[in-house]
Amino acid sequence: MSLESEQSTPRHFDPTLVNDPFDDPGLYVDLVFERRALLFDLGDLGDLGRLAPRKLLRVSDVFVTHLHMDHFAGFDQLLRRLLGREKILGVHGPAGIIDAIEHKLKAYTWNLIEGYEGNLTFHVIEIDEAGRLTAAQFSGHTRFHRSDGERRQSGDGIILKESGIQVHAATLDHGVPVLAFALEERAQINVWRNKVEAMGLAIGPWLRAFKEATLRGADDDALVDVTWRNGQPEKSPALPLGLLKKEIMQITSGRKIVYVVDCAFTDANVEKIVRLARGADILFIEATFLDADAEAAAMRHHLTARQAGTLARLAGVKRVVTLHYSPRYKGQGYRLAQEAQDAFLNG
Ligand SMILES: [Zn+2]
C-alpha cells in the first residue's frame, strides 16, 4: 500500500514505435519507474537508430505476435546486443516460439561462450489457442541448450503477471494464430497520510486491514478497527469501512496500452479485439491498407485503416495510433492515419 502525502504518483508507461509505420512493426514501452522496458514484436530493429543500445539493454521482456519474418527477424539483433551481458530476458509468444528460438540459437557456434563476462538466459513462454502456457529456458551456461519447463493453464489469457503490471494475450486469426497484447498497470489504492492524521487517526497496521477489506469488496457498513493518535479512549475503536473509504482513500486506475497487428476483420477477431482493448488509454493497431483496397486486405488477412479506427471506437479507447502500413502507400501515410482517425471519431 502506498501512503501519499499529496498527489498520488502512478507509475508511467512511455510507449514509442520502434520504426517508421512503413517499416517493420514494433512498440517499445519504457516502464519509467521500474528502470526497464518491454518490447512488442521483434521485427527489424532498424540500425538501432531509434532504439539506442542503452534502451535495448533495458528490455526485460519481449512479446512476439507471430513468427512471420517482419515480426521476428530482429531476434538476432537483440541476441547480438545482449550477448555477454548478465541478463535474463523473458520472451512471450504464440505456440511454436520455443522451437523457433531453439533453432535460431542452434544456428551459431557457442564454443567460446564460457569466456564471456555475463551470462545471458532466455525464459521463453508460449501460449496456445486454448490458453495453455509452456515454458522453456536457454542459458548461455549450457551453450543455449533447451531446458523444458512447466506447463500450465493461463487464467484469462494472462501471460505475464507481476505486482505492478500484467499482460493479457488474445489469439487472433491472420491465416495463422497471431497474438494481440494488452499491457495494464494494476490499480493502486492510495491512502492519504494527511487526511488520516486530520481525522485524528494514527498511521499504523490497521491501514493494512482497511486496504484488505476494500480489496475484498467488504460491505460499507463493515466496521474496521482503527488506532487513534494519542490514545483517545473516548473515541470509537472501529469505524465503518464506507466512511474511511470516502475520507482517506483514492483508487488510481492503471494505464492500459494495447498492441494489435496482423489480423483479418472477421467477427471473431472484432469481438476479441474489442474485449482486449476496452477502455485502453492507447491502442496501437495496424492500418495496412486503405479501405478502397479492402479486398486486398481481406485476402492477406490484414486490417484496413478504416477497420482499425472502427475497432478503436467500438472498444472505447482514448487514443488510437496506427502502424504497419503497406509499402504501396509510401509517401501517403497521412491518408492511412487520417482514414483511421475519421472512423475512430466519426464512425
Ligand atoms: Zn504476418
Side-chain angles (χ1 to χ4, degrees):
M1 171 173 47
S2 53
L3 284 174
E4 305 294 342
S5 51
E6 286 180 9
Q7 285 295 305
S8 63
T9 49
R11 293 172 296 270
H12 287 305
F13 296 156
D14 184 11
T16 353
L17 290 179
V18 173
N19 292 313
D20 180 89
F22 284 102
D23 295 327
D24 287 357
L27 178 69
Y28 180 90
V29 183
D30 205 331
L31 305 182
V32 180
F33 293 106
E34 296 192 24
R35 294 166 188 272
R36 64 170 174 142
L38 311 179
L39 187 57
F40 292 86
D41 263 343
L42 260 185
D44 183 8
L45 299 174
D47 53 5
L48 304 174
R50 284 198 177 197
L51 221 51
R54 159 184 69 77
K55 293 187 98 182
L56 212 52
L57 294 177
R58 280 169 77 93
V59 174
S60 64
D61 292 85
V62 177
F63 299 85
V64 177
T65 56
H66 63 304
L67 298 171
H68 280 157
M69 201 167 181
D70 51 336
H71 300 259
F72 193 53
F75 179 84
D76 282 29
Q77 288 171 296
L78 189 66
L79 171 62
R80 188 74 193 89
R81 288 284 160 178
L82 300 184
L83 199 59
R85 305 265 173 178
E86 186 65 39
K87 189 170 178 78
I88 296 173
L89 185 79
V91 183
H92 314 259
I97 196 169
I98 293 175
D99 284 347
I101 287 180
E102 182 178 19
H103 286 107
K104 287 248 184 209
L105 291 166
K106 274 189 172 167
Y108 300 101
T109 304
W110 299 113
N111 65 310
L112 299 176
I113 200 166
E114 286 84 358
Y116 292 0
E117 211 165 285
N119 182 53
L120 174 63
T121 300
F122 295 96
H123 273 184
V124 188
I125 294 180
E126 60 181 45
I127 185 165
D128 69 12
E129 287 182 76
R132 280 185 298 259
L133 299 169
T134 306
Q137 187 170 303
F138 302 87
S139 168
H141 278 322
T142 58
R143 299 185 178 182
F144 296 117
H145 185 80
R146 170 172 172 164
S147 156
D148 285 313
E150 60 162 0
R151 285 163 182 264
R152 62 187 171 86
Q153 186 67 33
S154 149
D156 201 23
I158 291 178
I159 196 166
L160 178 83
K161 187 171 194 169
E162 298 177 4
S163 57
I165 58 164
Q166 62 183 23
V167 177
H168 275 86
T171 303
L172 306 177
D173 177 25
H174 170 54
V176 294
V178 165
L179 298 182
F181 299 106
L183 163 65
E184 284 170 275
E185 204 174 29
R186 299 177 75 184
Q188 267 187 303
I189 293 184
N190 297 312
V191 172
W192 305 99
R193 175 187 283 268
N194 52 346
K195 292 184 182 170
V196 173
E197 288 173 349
M199 285 179 78
L201 292 162
I203 303 292
W206 71 272
L207 286 168
R208 192 162 296 281
F210 159 67
K211 184 196 167 196
E212 277 162 15
T214 305
L215 289 173
R216 248 196 344 264
D219 219 53
D220 277 356
D221 297 337
L223 290 175
V224 177
D225 290 334
V226 298
T227 310
W228 296 94
R229 284 200 297 169
N230 315 320
Q232 309 209 48
E234 74 281 9
K235 299 263 193 178
S236 163
L239 292 174
L241 178 67
L243 171 80
L244 289 167
K245 273 160 66 177
K246 195 164 138 267
E247 294 294 331
I248 65 169
M249 182 191 82
Q250 185 194 42
I251 293 189
T252 316
S253 63
R255 293 244 297 163
K256 178 172 176 180
I257 289 175
V258 176
Y259 180 81
V260 176
V261 291
D262 291 41
C263 56
F265 194 71
T266 61
D267 290 349
N269 279 350
V270 168
E271 195 205 316
K272 288 180 187 175
I273 294 166
V274 168
R275 194 177 337 131
L276 186 77
R278 172 88 55 213
D281 293 279
I282 312 180
L283 170 63
F284 291 89
I285 188 165
E286 71 158 11
T288 309
F289 291 91
L290 283 172
D291 213 56
D293 298 320
E295 220 169 284
M299 265 175 58
R300 292 169 176 79
H301 310 282
H302 277 291
L303 296 176
T304 70
R306 183 163 168 215
Q307 291 163 349
T310 302
L311 286 163
R313 181 166 45 78
L314 292 174
V317 307
K318 298 195 179 78
R319 206 179 130 209
V320 58
V321 176
T322 50
L323 70 153
H324 209 4
Y325 298 167
S326 162
R328 69 167 73 182
Y329 308 111
K330 268 260 158 118
Q332 303 178 68
Y334 63 93
R335 291 180 66 196
L336 291 152
Q338 191 61 55
E339 184 176 285
Q341 294 302 329
D342 284 348
F344 174 49
L345 297 172
N346 309 318

